[in-house]
């Protein structure tokens, strides 16, 4: 009888151990499932954001295409009207040689203006496509960085990468933190893949005054932070210095209200602005104006 009771106790203990192990496995699986669901929801949100941006770009592109189409229709109408008028006047022999030559030059000018308009529209569409590709590449590359510390967006026709000061610097310092180099390396990799674009780095501060042995005021701090980022991108990550510009904006281009701690935190930032090479657009404008003045 005693031996029987011992056997019963051993079986009970074994069953209890198996049950605990099973519960632990179930808990582990549940945690893994919850983590996967959270990751999927985050992915869905990012996908929705990108779709919203694509929709906005598509709407903007359709609007510009319609403007170009309307302009082309007006040009075609004017060309047809001028051509018909020239033919009628030639038939009636009432147009002098100089008058006919003047009309011919007008038509040539109109053709040049049409070509210029088409080139300009093509350049705008190309720039919008490059901006969208840049935004997607940067967001993909910076996916593992806290969204509060890095923001990527298109403003005023160019791409802005806004980095919080706590990500890049210690308070009141302009030395780039070692941990921040990981972020700058990812941005540098993307811009190095688009060598026809320039990079402007702007430092921004809040309105709290600063004065140290090496920093006179917020103008100094913002400019020194911008040059530190530029120097890091050049020396450590191979961005061509001829493409880089550093500038300090001090406290005078705030994103938020400087009277609150949250606003001041938003204002302390460094912005990496990726822009087209302006000389290319000036050349396009010059060539179009030259064609129109013939």
């Amino acid at each position: 009888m005693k031996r029987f009771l011992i056997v019963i106790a051993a079986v009970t203990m074994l069953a209890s151990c198996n049950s605990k192990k099973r519960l632990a496995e179930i808990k582990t699986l549940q945690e893994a499932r919850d983590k996967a669901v959270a990751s999927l929801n985050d992915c869905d949100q990012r996908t929705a954001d990108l779709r919203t941006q694509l929709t906005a770009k598509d709407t903007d592109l359709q609007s510009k295409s319609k403007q170009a189409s309307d302009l082309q229709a007006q040009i075609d109408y004017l060309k047809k009207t001028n051509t018909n008028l020239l033919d009628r006047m030639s038939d009636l022999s009432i147009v002098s040689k100089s008058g006919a030559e003047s009309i011919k030059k007008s038509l040539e000018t109109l053709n040049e203006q049409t070509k210029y308009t088409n080139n300009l529209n093509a350049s705008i569409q190309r720039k919008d496509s490059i901006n969208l590709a840049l935004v997607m590449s940067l967001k993909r590359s910076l996916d593992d960085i806290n969204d509060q510390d890095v923001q990527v967006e298109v403003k005023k026709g160019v791409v802005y990468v806004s980095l919080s000061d706590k990500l890049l610097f210690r308070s009141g310092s302009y030395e780039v933190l070692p941990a921040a180099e990981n972020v700058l390396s990812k941005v540098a990799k993307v811009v190095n893949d688009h060598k026809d674009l320039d990079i402007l780095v702007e430092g921004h501060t809040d309105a709290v005054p600063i004065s140290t042995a090496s920093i006179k005021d917020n103008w100094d701090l913002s400019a020194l932070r911008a040059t530190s980022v530029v120097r890091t991108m050049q020396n450590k990550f191979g961005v061509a210095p001829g493409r880089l510009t550093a500038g300090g904006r001090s406290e005078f281009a705030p994103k938020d209200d400087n009277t609150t701690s949250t606003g001041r935190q938003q204002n302390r930032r460094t912005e990496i602005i990726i822009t087209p090479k302006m000389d290319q657009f000036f050349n396009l404008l010059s060539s179009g104006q030259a064609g129109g003045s013939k």
Side-chain angles (χ1 to χ4, degrees), residues 33-277:
R33 174 186 173 278
D34 293 343
K35 186 175 180 181
V37 169
S39 178
L40 181 60
N41 289 339
D42 183 62
C43 183
D44 288 343
Q45 181 59 46
R46 292 175 184 276
T47 301
D49 292 343
L50 286 176
R51 284 177 177 169
T52 300
Q53 292 183 28
L54 285 170
T55 300
K57 286 294 179 184
D58 186 57
T59 300
D60 186 46
L61 184 59
Q62 289 178 6
S63 174
K64 290 178 179 177
S65 296
K66 186 177 186 307
Q67 291 176 8
S69 177
D70 292 344
L71 183 58
Q72 183 63 51
Q74 293 178 23
I75 291 173
D76 290 342
Y77 174 77
L78 290 173
K79 287 171 63 177
K80 182 178 179 181
T81 301
N82 285 343
T83 301
N84 290 339
L85 180 60
L86 181 59
D87 290 342
R88 291 178 59 188
M89 293 175 74
S90 297
D91 290 341
L92 295 173
S93 301
I94 61 172
V95 179
S96 67
K97 183 177 180 181
S98 60
E101 185 65 24
S102 176
I103 293 175
K104 181 181 178 181
K105 287 183 178 180
S106 296
L107 291 175
E108 290 175 350
T109 299
L110 193 59
N111 288 334
E112 290 295 331
Q113 290 176 343
T114 301
K115 181 179 178 181
Y116 169 65
T117 301
N118 291 338
N119 288 340
L120 190 59
N121 284 330
S123 297
I124 292 172
Q125 292 177 9
R126 178 175 176 273
K127 180 172 70 69
D128 289 343
S129 298
I130 291 174
N131 283 346
L132 183 58
L134 273 172
V135 168
M136 294 180 70
S137 295
L138 287 165
K139 287 193 172 183
R140 223 173 11 247
S141 180
L142 299 170
D143 184 61
D144 59 334
I145 309 300
N146 190 329
D147 288 344
Q148 297 298 318
D149 294 329
V150 179
Q151 296 179 4
V152 181
E153 59 183 335
V154 177
K155 294 191 302 183
K156 303 175 184 177
V158 295
V159 176
Y160 279 68
V161 181
S162 183
L163 307 175
S164 68
D165 72 320
K166 67 178 181 178
L167 178 68
L168 294 175
F169 310 102
R170 293 186 179 89
S171 178
S173 170
Y174 56 87
E175 297 293 334
V176 176
L177 292 170
E181 293 182 0
N182 175 48
V183 176
L184 294 180
S185 70
K186 293 179 177 181
V187 175
K189 184 179 185 304
V190 173
V191 299
N192 279 336
D193 290 338
H194 296 81
K195 298 188 184 300
D196 57 338
L197 300 174
D198 284 336
I199 302 96
L200 168 63
V201 179
E202 288 186 349
H204 297 261
T205 70
D206 58 25
V208 178
I210 184 173
S211 180
T212 68
S214 58
I215 301 173
K216 184 176 181 180
D217 53 22
N218 280 326
W219 280 113
D220 266 359
L221 180 60
S222 64
L224 288 169
R225 286 182 166 180
T227 54
S228 291
V229 171
V230 163
R231 195 174 291 114
T232 300
M233 294 181 73
Q234 174 190 349
N235 295 337
K236 293 196 174 183
F237 306 118
V239 179
R243 302 172 59 197
L244 292 165
T245 302
R249 301 294 302 274
S250 187
E251 64 203 60
F252 302 108
K255 291 179 69 175
D256 210 332
D257 188 352
N258 266 311
T259 62
T260 68
S261 59
T262 301
R264 289 191 295 273
Q265 182 178 358
Q266 289 289 321
N267 293 334
R268 297 190 299 270
R269 68 199 188 277
T270 298
E271 292 184 336
I272 301 175
I273 307 168
I274 306 171
T275 67
K277 290 185 180 295

